[in-house]
Amino acid sequence: MPRDVDMEGGGKSDWVRITSVDGFSFMVLRKVAMGSGTLKNMLSSDSNFAEALSGTCPLQERAVVLEKVLEYLAYKNTYEENGSKDDLEHFEKRVPPEIALELLMAADYLES
């Protein structure tokens, strides 16, 4: 078993589970999830939120939207320090127009 997966619940794992309203689960690196202000507050070890204790954040977003938000958070984590504005523009081209408004609302809620 990899060292960063905590199956006993005794320590903080490097991974968190993000679940969608339509039943999909995404395993995300904790440092990537922390790119969202909302997820950071939910997962903070200083909080008494159930999400912090379980390492699972249930969100009221469809999986197709949540997947794109998480993709952006991973992209942001990768390019934040050494990326350029061109990198960000390349990501914008990967957003399907049919979910753009829903994605904007989800990003606002998640503070990402």
Side-chain angles (χ1 to χ4, degrees):
M1 175 176 1
R3 67 162 183 80
D4 55 351
V5 176
D6 178 28
M7 298 303 285
E8 302 300 317
K12 188 165 64 170
S13 172
D14 289 342
W15 294 88
V16 295
R17 180 183 312 272
I18 312 292
T19 59
S20 68
V21 71
D22 48 357
F24 289 86
S25 291
F26 301 90
M27 293 300 293
V28 180
L29 280 171
R30 183 176 292 273
K31 69 179 183 176
V32 170
M34 294 298 195
S36 158
T38 303
L39 294 176
K40 185 176 184 176
N41 288 335
M42 293 168 93
L43 295 167
S44 172
S45 58
D46 298 336
S47 75
N48 290 326
F49 290 129
E51 293 85 358
L53 300 174
S54 68
T56 300
C57 297
L59 297 176
Q60 296 299 308
E61 304 295 341
R62 294 184 312 135
V64 66
V65 174
L66 190 52
E67 179 181 29
K68 199 52 78 172
V69 169
L70 296 174
E71 182 181 340
Y72 169 74
L73 289 173
Y75 192 87
K76 177 180 165 183
N77 182 267
T78 301
Y79 291 103
E80 193 169 56
E81 293 178 10
N82 57 5
S84 70
K85 183 143 175 85
D86 293 337
D87 294 328
L88 188 56
E89 290 172 5
H90 292 307
F91 183 82
E92 291 170 355
K93 294 177 184 176
R94 296 163 51 179
V95 176
E98 60 272 11
I99 67 165
L101 181 59
E102 200 174 351
L103 183 60
L104 180 62
M105 293 182 342
D108 182 54
Y109 169 73
L110 292 170
E111 301 172 21
S112 44

